[in-house]
Amino acid sequence: MKSAVETLNPTRVRLTVEVPFEELKDSLDAAYKKINQQVTVKGFRKGKIPARVIDQRFGRGAVLEEAVNDALPKLYTEAVNEAELNVLGQPEVDITELKDGETLNFTAEVDIRPTIEIPDFSGIEVEVDAVEVTDEDIDKAVEQLRERFASTSPVERAAEDGDVVTIDLQAKVDDEVLEDGVAEGVSYTIGSGELLDGIDDAVKGLEAGAEATFTSELKGGSAAGKEAEVTVKVTQVAARELPELDDEFAQLASEFDTLEELRADSRKRLENMKQYDQATQAQERVLEKLLELVEVPVPEKLLEDEINTRKHNLEHHQLGQMGLDLEKYLEIQGKTVEEFDAETKEAAVKGIKTQFVLDELVAKEKLNVNQEELTEHLMRRAASSGMSPDQFAQAVVQNNQVQLLVGEVARGKALALVVEASTVKDTNGELVDLDDEDEDETAEGSAETAEEAPAAAEAEEKAPEA
């Protein structure tokens, strides 16, 4: 077999392959054997029909077609390996010549990973928010904890802001009660904004047993997005009582004996959260600077697939769970279709470029992923997906996605390497020293967020078929 490579553009090549007919012998034998098992010829036992009879009865062309279909994937893979190409996705194969007994010639156009030159990134400088925890931050955190330990007691008066009311709801659209528009015994805190628009004004001033009607746009259910006439009946009004902020509250709400100790712990927790946010911010801004330094051509077909994947996931998974369609989502976001398409394309381009650049760094720096790192990453991914580690691991293995996870960890390590070499200062002009462990963890998150499982990773997982 002879093959040649023609570069069509930085991300696409055309392979021209010439195959001597004798190299198709195994595939021809397999074709005759397969046809033998599928057909019946009078006078011959099944599976024992001579090749010449098959040619006479069913045509040599049918045999050649079966043989070529069998041989093409292997021949294509051999040509790719011989040329040392890093291909993406499926090739477009065209048989240019097939002469029985002489030769098989074909071409295969396919996307490839572009050649990327990683420049010196040690000069990257970024600025991040300073880690500052104020007394007001601590007051807010303690107050939120206090809210969680609030108690309620029924009162015989009209409902006010902050009260917890028990209500019955009935929604009508076009004067018809919706099947899924009736609810009883719903507990609602006035002012929380957790139910329908307009409900706060409707229930304020009502005592137990009173009801009111208001108009609101339904957020979910069978009539999501439609205007409904909603009747709300208050069955109970309860006042919320907050515990006193003292040492007794600290003992109730935490493992600490004094309120002072509780506030000190709140400060420490807030500092840790802001340090993590700071590290994440550093990762994202360093990544943006790195991408600005590198010229990365993006394969058109890969970009098209990535855009379609992102749109599909949004429309059929994320929005579907919220009872929204794309049109309603764009209305809520205040965006046009053109703006949405532009943003989706921009995000897809960034995701693909991120993966290409970080994968090149992984190869250049010879970064490896050990079992412990993979396990830690799997645990984090399982937690974020709401699955147990065992369930998540089983799903990963069943879907052949182990290498995808390995790639995520490796790219996280590559980004951490860039951050370590960069200069990171906070808004106060102070150098920021990012802890190595936090740096690796946030780097995996930043790289993964930018990529959002781009099509490039999936394309390489698929076996080429002609």
Side-chain angles (χ1 to χ4, degrees), residues 353-408:
K353 286 185 174 181
T354 295
Q355 182 173 320
F356 283 167
V357 171
L358 295 183
D359 281 348
E360 184 65 26
L361 263 173
V362 169
K364 181 180 179 181
E365 300 295 333
K366 297 181 172 58
L367 300 177
N368 296 314
V369 176
N370 59 42
Q371 185 62 47
E372 182 180 356
E373 292 168 334
L374 182 60
T375 300
E376 289 177 357
H377 183 64
L378 186 147
M379 298 279 281
R380 287 194 291 270
R381 286 290 302 273
S384 65
S385 67
M387 301 170 67
S388 72
D390 287 344
Q391 289 174 326
F392 188 80
Q394 185 176 4
V396 167
V397 173
Q398 288 177 346
N399 293 314
N400 297 317
Q401 292 182 331
V402 174
Q403 287 306 311
L404 293 181
L405 283 188
V406 172
E408 290 174 2

Side-chain angles (χ1 to χ4, degrees), residues 273-330:
M273 288 173 57
K274 291 199 174 188
Q275 284 172 350
Y276 184 86
D277 291 342
Q278 185 188 64
T280 301
Q281 193 178 65
Q283 306 287 354
E284 293 170 350
R285 293 184 178 178
V286 167
L287 176 59
E288 289 174 0
K289 291 281 189 179
L290 177 63
L291 294 181
E292 290 174 5
L293 294 175
V294 187
E295 185 68 30
V296 186
V298 176
E300 291 183 10
K301 182 65 168 62
L302 185 65
L303 178 58
E304 180 184 341
D305 290 344
E306 179 63 11
I307 291 172
N308 291 336
T309 297
R310 287 171 183 258
K311 287 183 176 180
H312 177 85
N313 289 340
L314 176 65
E315 290 188 61
H316 296 87
H317 298 293
Q318 300 169 35
L319 296 184
Q321 293 175 355
M322 295 186 289
L324 298 174
D325 57 19
L326 183 59
E327 182 179 355
K328 187 61 182 176
Y329 168 75
L330 294 180

Side-chain angles (χ1 to χ4, degrees), residues 9 68 72 139 173 175 246 278 289 330 353 420 436 454 456:
N9 60 51
V68 169
L72 273 179
D139 291 342
V173 173
D175 291 328
D246 52 23
Q278 185 188 64
K289 291 281 189 179
L330 294 180
K353 286 185 174 181
E420 185 180 354
D436 288 344

Side-chain angles (χ1 to χ4, degrees), residues 192-462:
S192 66
E194 294 174 352
L195 282 178
L196 299 169
D197 293 336
I199 194 170
D200 289 335
D201 292 335
V203 297
K204 276 191 292 188
L206 298 183
E207 297 183 7
E211 65 179 46
T213 301
F214 64 100
T215 302
S216 182
E217 183 179 301
L218 299 179
K219 296 180 180 179
S222 61
K226 292 184 178 180
E227 288 287 327
E229 182 183 88
V230 183
T231 300
V232 55
K233 180 179 181 180
V234 176
T235 59
Q236 179 181 277
V237 179
R240 299 176 74 247
E241 298 177 1
L242 297 173
E244 291 293 327
L245 281 176
D246 52 23
D247 292 345
E248 187 176 338
F249 167 70
Q251 294 165 17
L252 170 68
S254 70
E255 69 271 29
F256 302 106
D257 294 327
T258 67
L259 182 61
E260 184 179 351
E261 291 174 331
L262 173 59
R263 288 179 64 86
D265 181 70
S266 296
R267 179 181 291 276
K268 183 178 179 181
R269 290 176 183 273
L270 288 172
E271 286 176 347
N272 289 339
M273 288 173 57
K274 291 199 174 188
Q275 284 172 350
Y276 184 86
D277 291 342
Q278 185 188 64
T280 301
Q281 193 178 65
Q283 306 287 354
E284 293 170 350
R285 293 184 178 178
V286 167
L287 176 59
E288 289 174 0
K289 291 281 189 179
L290 177 63
L291 294 181
E292 290 174 5
L293 294 175
V294 187
E295 185 68 30
V296 186
V298 176
E300 291 183 10
K301 182 65 168 62
L302 185 65
L303 178 58
E304 180 184 341
D305 290 344
E306 179 63 11
I307 291 172
N308 291 336
T309 297
R310 287 171 183 258
K311 287 183 176 180
H312 177 85
N313 289 340
L314 176 65
E315 290 188 61
H316 296 87
H317 298 293
Q318 300 169 35
L319 296 184
Q321 293 175 355
M322 295 186 289
L324 298 174
D325 57 19
L326 183 59
E327 182 179 355
K328 187 61 182 176
Y329 168 75
L330 294 180
E331 181 183 331
I332 294 172
Q333 294 291 315
K335 296 177 183 176
T336 65
V337 173
E338 291 74 20
E339 289 172 336
F340 169 73
D341 287 343
E343 289 179 4
T344 303
K345 181 178 180 179
E346 183 180 356
V349 169
K350 182 180 180 182
I352 294 172
K353 286 185 174 181
T354 295
Q355 182 173 320
F356 283 167
V357 171
L358 295 183
D359 281 348
E360 184 65 26
L361 263 173
V362 169
K364 181 180 179 181
E365 300 295 333
K366 297 181 172 58
L367 300 177
N368 296 314
V369 176
N370 59 42
Q371 185 62 47
E372 182 180 356
E373 292 168 334
L374 182 60
T375 300
E376 289 177 357
H377 183 64
L378 186 147
M379 298 279 281
R380 287 194 291 270
R381 286 290 302 273
S384 65
S385 67
M387 301 170 67
S388 72
D390 287 344
Q391 289 174 326
F392 188 80
Q394 185 176 4
V396 167
V397 173
Q398 288 177 346
N399 293 314
N400 297 317
Q401 292 182 331
V402 174
Q403 287 306 311
L404 293 181
L405 283 188
V406 172
E408 290 174 2
V409 179
R411 287 188 282 276
K413 295 178 72 171
L415 181 53
L417 193 72
V418 181
V419 174
E420 185 180 354
S422 304
T423 300
V424 181
K425 292 183 179 180
D426 65 19
T427 49
N428 295 328
E430 298 292 330
L431 281 172
V432 177
D433 182 19
L434 299 174
D435 178 78
D436 288 344
E437 184 174 344
D438 289 342
E439 188 177 312
D440 285 345
E441 183 175 333
T442 53
E444 288 173 27
S446 296
E448 183 185 330
T449 301
E451 295 167 28
E452 294 184 11
E458 297 180 7
E460 289 186 320
E461 289 295 307
K462 297 177 182 177

